[in-house]
Amino acid sequence: MPSATRIQYDLPSEAFMDELLTDDLILRYVKDNYKYSKHRTEFYDTPDWKLTGAMFSMDVDRDLSIPTVHLAQARITPDNLPGLLHGDTWTAPFESVDTMVDALAHRGAPLSFLSIARGAELVCHFEIAHSSKSTTLYLPDRTRICMSFDSSVIYAGGKEGRSYELCMDLLFGEESQLITYCQQIRERFGLPPVLLSREMKARRLLGEE
């Protein structure tokens, strides 16, 4: 059960991503070439979004040679900074939608998830076409951060919604170092934190929020 610590910021456009990459506040910590990826995912929940209500997100990546289901659970604490997210993740290959929950159970998915999803109807509420450009930032004190520029299109109910985000995932080091560095990024470029989850964005497209 890998855990994640992430800070996300909204970006105004794809062109703005390239502008960030030329700034010394980022450039000085880049040593490796950028990695590029594209994939399309389907997001599943009960018809009444019970998993989302319990802070779970379940999506399926069918671009892989073996279909894979990903489950994430966010942990929100009272002292969270805007845009800061803690979470746990589980990943499992599966054969059909009917076997997704059992596949995750074998990988240690929590009882709080199984009590909602096992035996429940699961439907695909929306899809996301996602492309990313990522690299590792080598900060002082051996702090390592995965920096990713993400461009996404949400497809829900015949509508589309586009978003651009800067994601910072702590790979190694103290969380305080991640927070301090991201605050510098935010102040330099005036970036607003990501406050809406993918599910919340999709529900807005569907007119449910």
Side-chain angles (χ1 to χ4, degrees):
M1 180 189 66
S3 297
T5 300
R6 165 180 286 190
I7 295 180
Q8 295 173 273
Y9 296 110
D10 279 318
L11 301 177
S13 67
E14 192 166 9
F16 194 79
M17 297 181 185
D18 296 328
E19 181 179 336
L20 289 178
L21 295 180
T22 63
D23 192 279
D24 182 63
L25 186 56
I26 290 176
L27 199 59
R28 74 179 79 162
Y29 300 121
V30 176
K31 296 182 180 180
D32 306 326
N33 293 329
Y34 283 90
K35 298 179 181 179
Y36 299 85
S37 66
K38 288 186 177 182
H39 57 96
R40 190 173 181 119
T41 52
E42 303 169 351
F43 286 77
Y44 284 80
D45 203 332
T46 62
D48 53 357
W49 301 85
K50 287 183 178 178
L51 291 177
T52 298
M55 304 299 290
F56 286 106
S57 177
M58 184 168 65
D59 66 84
V60 169
D61 190 338
R62 296 191 183 276
D63 289 340
L64 301 176
S65 57
I66 299 176
T68 303
V69 57
H70 306 275
L71 177 69
Q73 183 180 32
R75 300 194 308 273
I76 304 298
T77 56
D79 59 348
N80 256 4
L81 296 173
L84 175 64
L85 177 68
H86 298 94
D88 300 315
T89 60
W90 299 263
T91 301
F94 70 98
E95 295 180 356
S96 68
V97 172
D98 293 336
T99 65
M100 289 193 304
V101 175
D102 286 339
L104 288 168
H106 288 306
R107 294 298 177 94
L111 291 176
S112 54
F113 162 75
L114 298 176
S115 65
I116 297 173
R118 182 163 274 166
E121 179 187 3
L122 296 174
V123 298
C124 178
H125 284 283
F126 64 100
E127 298 182 15
I128 293 183
H130 178 89
S131 63
S132 68
K133 177 180 182 179
S134 63
T135 192
T136 299
L137 300 180
Y138 295 82
L139 271 65
D141 299 322
R142 299 178 62 83
T143 299
R144 301 292 181 264
I145 296 172
C146 177
M147 177 183 67
S148 176
F149 294 94
D150 298 338
S151 174
S152 302
V153 181
I154 299 177
Y155 300 92
K159 299 179 181 178
E160 298 181 9
R162 184 175 292 274
S163 65
Y164 305 98
E165 296 177 358
L166 169 62
C167 300
M168 298 289 205
D169 290 286
L170 183 64
L171 300 177
F172 184 82
E174 296 297 326
E175 182 178 299
S176 59
Q177 296 278 12
L178 172 70
I179 292 172
T180 298
Y181 179 67
C182 287
Q183 285 178 331
Q184 294 174 10
I185 294 289
R186 180 182 181 184
E187 291 171 3
R188 174 76 65 90
F189 300 104
L191 301 178
V194 172
L195 299 177
L196 297 179
S197 68
R198 294 167 297 187
E199 286 80 4
M200 294 171 67
K201 292 177 181 178
R203 293 187 73 171
R204 285 193 171 187
L205 284 176
L206 293 168
E208 298 183 14
E209 283 197 357

